[in-house]
């Protein structure tokens, strides 16, 4: 799959579209989901042209991969989600229902999320 730079998260990275920013550094941006599915629902994205999990792990430099997951942990701490827990989700491809083709991880928390639903 070729990366399409017109996707909504690429536009957020280019600041063409506003977002409710939670954290940013040179490599990663975290912002609130526009349609939250939990009291805390944050999207964490690498700053790079990666379509999904596979693309990121096949093509991103090891340092960026390391920095990405290190930052997810920082955001979890910043949101005070460690004590009561949280869920990380990444959708990949058509069967997952992935809507935005820029690699992202959903961080959900702030209530008991129940069991994982697969419908
Ligand atoms: P996916 O199904 O691709 O894993 O999830 C994409 C997520 O992006 C959805 O949860 C959706 O609510 C969120 N989203 C879509 N457009 C926007 C937007 O313009 N701003 C923000 N903050 N989130 C968005």
């Amino acid at each position: 799959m070729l990366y399409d730079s017109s996707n909504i998260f690429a536009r957020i990275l280019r600041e063409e579209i506003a977002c409710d920013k939670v954290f940013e550094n040179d490599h990663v941006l975290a912002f609130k989901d526009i349609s939250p599915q939990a009291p805390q629902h944050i999207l964490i994205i690498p700053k790079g042209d990666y379509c999904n999990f596979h693309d990121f792990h096949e093509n991103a430099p090891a340092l960026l991969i390391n920095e990405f997951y290190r930052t997810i942990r920082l955001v979890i701490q910043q949101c005070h989600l460690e004590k009561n827990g949280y869920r990380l989700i990444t959708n990949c491809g058509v069967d997952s229902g992935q809507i935005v083709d820029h690699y992202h991880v959903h961080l959900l928390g702030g209530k008991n999320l129940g069991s994982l639903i697969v419908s």
Side-chain angles (χ1 to χ4, degrees):
M1 177 184 217
L2 281 179
Y3 184 82
D4 177 357
S5 61
S6 67
N7 76 72
I8 204 93
F9 294 171
R11 297 186 66 198
I12 286 174
L13 283 174
R14 290 196 297 270
E15 299 185 341
E16 295 168 7
I17 296 174
C19 71
D20 193 348
K21 200 179 293 183
V22 171
F23 180 91
E24 182 171 24
N25 65 19
D26 288 346
H27 306 289
V28 185
L29 175 67
F31 53 96
K32 293 185 181 174
D33 196 292
I34 204 168
S35 176
Q37 303 299 309
Q40 300 222 56
H41 185 172
I42 294 156
L43 299 167
I44 305 162
I45 68 174
K47 293 184 178 179
D49 296 351
Y50 306 105
C51 300
N52 55 35
F53 178 85
H54 280 293
D55 187 18
F56 186 60
H57 284 267
E58 279 177 18
N59 297 310
L63 275 175
L64 177 57
I65 295 172
N66 188 46
E67 176 66 11
F68 183 65
Y69 294 106
R70 198 184 69 83
T71 302
I72 291 177
R73 177 140 172 73
L74 282 180
V75 174
I76 290 165
Q77 288 174 322
Q78 184 178 310
C79 296
H80 306 291
L81 288 171
E82 278 194 312
K83 182 166 176 275
N84 286 342
Y86 53 87
R87 180 171 291 154
L88 298 174
I89 295 174
T90 187
N91 292 316
C92 182
V94 177
D95 279 358
S96 75
Q98 181 178 1
I99 296 167
V100 181
D101 290 326
H102 180 112
Y103 178 46
H104 54 281
V105 170
H106 298 253
L107 167 61
L108 298 132
K111 70 168 189 179
N112 186 317
L113 297 166
S115 55
L116 191 61
I117 305 296
V118 182
S119 57

